[in-house]
Amino acid sequence: MLERGAPAVLRMDNGPEFISKELENWVSEQELVQAFIPAGQPWHNGFVESLHNRMRDELFEDNLFYDIEDARAGLTWWSHRYNNEHPHSSLGYMTPNAFADQWKKENEMETAQVAGA
């Protein structure tokens, strides 16, 4: 939020990966719109489901964490790899950060025009 601003809508489900009550409270405090995905319908949120499946397969099923700091270190490593080193077919085999940088460069003029309007 500090880097890119608050989302207009926070879309989430009530699955075990989330601490839904805490998110619900935070969304209310931030005065954001909540969009809950109906239980048992993960196809409504394919991108997040895909991320969770990949994280489960590549991180959680292969590692034993000894404490919260160990889990944080593992998640930090995995997130860095996922965003900076692992090419994604849906992004034209670019990493997410490379794709975001390319998008910013391509849309820099449009963004400046909208901001100045």
Side-chain angles (χ1 to χ4, degrees):
M1 225 173 76
L2 294 175
E3 185 177 323
R4 296 187 176 134
V9 175
L10 183 63
R11 185 173 169 175
M12 60 185 164
D13 66 10
N14 288 311
E17 292 89 353
F18 291 108
I19 47 173
S20 296
K21 284 294 176 198
E22 291 298 321
L23 283 174
E24 188 175 349
N25 292 340
W26 181 81
V27 167
S28 295
E29 289 171 7
Q30 302 300 318
E31 298 180 353
L32 303 174
V33 175
Q34 299 177 56
F36 281 99
I37 297 163
Q41 298 182 12
W43 53 85
H44 284 236
N45 201 9
F47 293 110
V48 171
E49 292 297 323
S50 176
L51 174 70
H52 288 169
N53 286 336
R54 184 176 299 276
M55 188 184 298
R56 192 176 297 114
D57 290 345
E58 296 175 4
L59 178 65
F60 296 132
E61 289 184 359
D62 293 338
N63 294 283
L64 175 63
F65 300 109
Y66 298 101
D67 56 28
I68 192 71
E69 292 305 317
D70 191 31
R72 282 188 181 124
L75 187 55
T76 299
W77 166 84
W78 185 86
S79 297
H80 175 81
R81 183 185 160 283
Y82 184 87
N83 289 314
N84 297 293
E85 299 170 13
H86 180 73
H88 297 255
S89 61
S90 63
L91 302 176
Y93 294 94
M94 297 175 74
T95 67
N97 284 346
F99 184 84
D101 289 342
Q102 177 181 308
W103 187 92
K104 285 178 194 173
K105 287 176 187 170
E106 291 173 356
N107 294 281
E108 204 167 65
M109 189 172 293
E110 287 179 34
T111 305
Q113 289 172 348
V114 170

